[in-house]
Amino acid sequence: MRIFAIIMLAGFVHSAHAAEPTHAKELIEQHRAIAAAHEAAAQCLASGKSEKICHEELSKACKTLPVIGALCGMRKHRH
């Protein structure tokens, strides 16, 4: 009985996702845009620019994206 419930739930979740292809496409594009902004920040740091400059550039890029926070969700962390 438990396996049947899991299979039914998986089918329901799959059909719910399949019913919203436009939302899925938008979500994919948002994630790609955020990833591109983070990759640009990584390349900035790899080029030898300071963390401050790279975070300023990331902050500018994030203003154009549907994200929370000036650094596209990236919190301060230790290097």
Side-chain angles (χ1 to χ4, degrees):
M1 182 70 174
R2 196 172 199 186
I3 293 175
F4 177 74
I6 292 171
I7 292 170
M8 291 299 292
L9 181 61
F12 174 75
V13 169
H14 181 267
S15 66
H17 286 293
E20 302 179 30
T22 302
H23 175 70
K25 287 180 182 180
E26 290 173 359
L27 198 57
I28 291 165
E29 291 306 313
Q30 288 173 356
H31 280 287
R32 286 185 174 148
I34 293 166
H38 281 250
E39 179 60 27
Q43 289 176 357
C44 179
L45 289 168
S47 74
K49 292 181 183 177
S50 73
E51 184 176 357
K52 181 180 178 184
I53 291 172
C54 295
H55 278 187
E56 286 173 358
E57 291 177 11
L58 178 59
S59 180
K60 287 178 188 174
C62 292
K63 287 180 182 178
T64 65
L65 301 172
V67 296
I68 297 173
L71 301 177
C72 297
M74 188 165 168
R75 299 179 184 171
K76 289 201 173 231
H77 56 280
R78 294 183 190 175
H79 290 266

